[in-house]
Amino acid sequence: AELGLNVAKGDPSIIQVGEIGGLGLLRSSASKLYGSADRVSRLKSLRGPLDVIANIPIYKQVILYPKIAAQYGKTVLSPATQTRNFSSAGFFVGNRGLLGGRASVTESIKMTVDDIFNAGKGAADAEKKLLDDIAEGIKYGALDENIVASELSAVLRAIRKGAIKDTDQLTGFLEKKGLLRTASRIYAGGDNVWKWYAYNWYKSFLRDYAKGDLGRMKNWFRDVAGQKFDPKDLLGKKKGLEEAIKEAAGWYVRNTMPTYSLVPRLIQAIRTLPFGNFVSFPAEMIRTTANTLRVNMREIASDDVVMREMGYRGAMGQF
């Protein structure tokens, strides 16, 4: 009511959220809400503390353009690096000992390849399954953008402003053209293959652990995730056993494999500085290494034999 009164008085410090970019065809009820101008701007733009320097012309031309061009060329556009990215990402699976027949690497590869190259070209049932799988992976946080590809895209967006001219034409070409956009998606797919594999592996493991009992999953959230299980979703609907298993599998992936969206804002801001290539990656190495060790120890300390076995498997993988 107080905000509404201020708006009626023409207070410029209170504005409506309005259109939110990046949602595509989706709509958000937040667009109808009001708030302080600085907070609304912060939520809509997500500008980092150092993003302002990216708009300085000399800084853009002398520092950021050469840096991003070099990074783009030696990663996304390099077949050798593409191959290395895919093969090395598999070590995150081995780091937790996720070997055996609980999930299929070939199925994960097929899903990723279909998403990049064959979306919209298959039969209706196959298309629905592909979309459902991707939606599930995103919903539970198992699928996240590749750190390097995301960091490149973020810097590209940061250094492009206003009319496309001069070297901005080059960055626009790298960011939007079909062939290079596909190369970026392939690079990100190298991570997503293994994340989808891990997510399905954990779902299989947790079904064995739960033994059809939601109470056991509540114990998992308390003992391993270190948080209380929320029995209701964001819409107020009661969660079932399968929902709890999917949430837990997503938690495992997010906290033991690199997840770009969890990189601290300070680390993200450093990418606009002239020093440091892909600073998000080493930051994630530190986070996931510590998290994996903590998860292993919590599982080993469990009273349940299935959970202890998982902890020892993870400890051997990390060793």
Side-chain angles (χ1 to χ4, degrees):
E2 182 179 350
L3 285 176
L5 183 61
N6 289 339
V7 172
K9 292 179 179 179
D11 186 348
S13 67
I14 304 299
I15 62 175
Q16 188 174 20
V17 173
E19 182 179 355
I20 302 176
L23 295 183
L25 297 177
L26 300 178
R27 294 292 178 267
S28 172
S29 58
S31 297
K32 301 177 182 179
L33 303 180
Y34 289 82
S36 59
D38 58 340
R39 178 170 296 182
V40 170
S41 176
R42 179 74 172 171
L43 290 174
K44 289 178 66 175
S45 68
L46 294 179
R47 290 175 61 85
L50 300 178
D51 283 354
V52 63
I53 66 174
N55 292 322
I56 301 174
I58 295 179
Y59 189 84
K60 287 167 60 176
Q61 299 291 338
V62 177
I63 302 296
L64 284 185
Y65 280 127
K67 176 183 177 181
I68 196 64
Q71 289 180 337
Y72 203 96
K74 68 185 182 182
T75 53
V76 175
L77 301 182
S78 168
T81 310
Q82 290 268 15
T83 304
R84 185 179 62 207
N85 178 59
F86 171 75
S87 58
S88 63
F91 283 105
F92 294 110
V93 171
N95 190 47
R96 275 282 287 165
L98 306 186
L99 308 176
R102 290 188 178 275
S104 169
V105 175
T106 54
E107 284 297 316
S108 299
I109 292 174
K110 183 179 184 303
M111 189 207 77
T112 304
V113 170
D114 285 344
D115 177 37
I116 297 172
F117 297 105
N118 300 322
K121 299 178 182 178
D125 290 345
E127 286 294 308
K128 185 178 185 305
K129 184 179 186 307
L130 174 63
L131 292 173
D132 289 345
D133 285 346
I134 294 172
E136 180 181 328
I138 293 173
K139 177 180 179 181
Y140 295 103
L143 297 182
D144 190 56
E145 286 188 271
N146 172 273
I147 287 179
V148 172
S150 296
E151 193 159 316
L152 284 168
S153 297
V155 178
L156 283 170
R157 288 193 297 269
I159 62 180
R160 290 188 63 220
K161 183 181 180 182
I164 298 178
K165 56 185 178 179
D166 301 325
T167 49
D168 273 348
Q169 293 178 345
L170 174 61
T171 58
F173 179 82
L174 291 175
E175 188 179 19
K176 291 185 175 181
K177 289 300 180 180
L179 178 62
L180 300 180
R181 185 173 55 204
T182 300
S184 295
R185 295 190 67 194
I186 293 173
Y187 199 91
D191 278 356
N192 285 337
V193 165
W194 296 108
K195 286 187 174 183
W196 186 244
Y197 169 85
Y199 174 71
N200 284 288
W201 201 101
Y202 281 124
K203 282 200 302 182
S204 174
F205 158 70
L206 289 168
R207 289 189 183 108
D208 284 353
Y209 164 75
K211 299 176 181 177
D213 183 2
L214 181 59
R216 290 175 65 82
M217 286 307 304
K218 292 180 180 179
N219 292 339
W220 180 91
F221 276 93
R222 181 195 64 205
D223 299 336
V224 178
Q227 62 190 50
K228 186 177 180 181
F229 174 70
D230 189 346
K232 294 184 178 181
D233 62 19
L234 293 175
L235 300 178
K237 291 179 60 178
K238 190 175 180 180
K239 295 177 185 175
L241 175 62
E242 190 64 19
E243 184 85 359
I245 288 174
K246 290 177 180 178
E247 278 191 21
W251 185 93
Y252 267 130
V253 172
R254 290 193 310 276
N255 288 281
T256 61
M257 301 180 76
T259 304
Y260 177 75
S261 58
L262 297 181
V263 174
R265 293 294 302 279
L266 177 61
I267 299 298
Q268 292 184 39
I270 295 176
R271 65 186 174 218
T272 58
L273 296 179
F275 53 84
N277 288 329
F278 310 124
V279 291
S280 300
F281 188 77
E284 276 298 274
M285 290 300 92
I286 295 172
R287 184 185 72 89
T288 55
T289 299
N291 280 349
T292 299
L293 179 59
R294 180 175 61 182
V295 168
N296 292 339
M297 298 303 289
R298 286 179 174 177
E299 289 171 338
I300 291 172
S302 173
D303 294 332
D304 185 86
V305 63
V306 177
M307 191 58 66
R308 286 202 305 274
E309 180 184 327
M310 184 68 239
Y312 286 120
R313 175 188 286 267
M316 292 178 67
Q318 192 166 30
F319 173 77

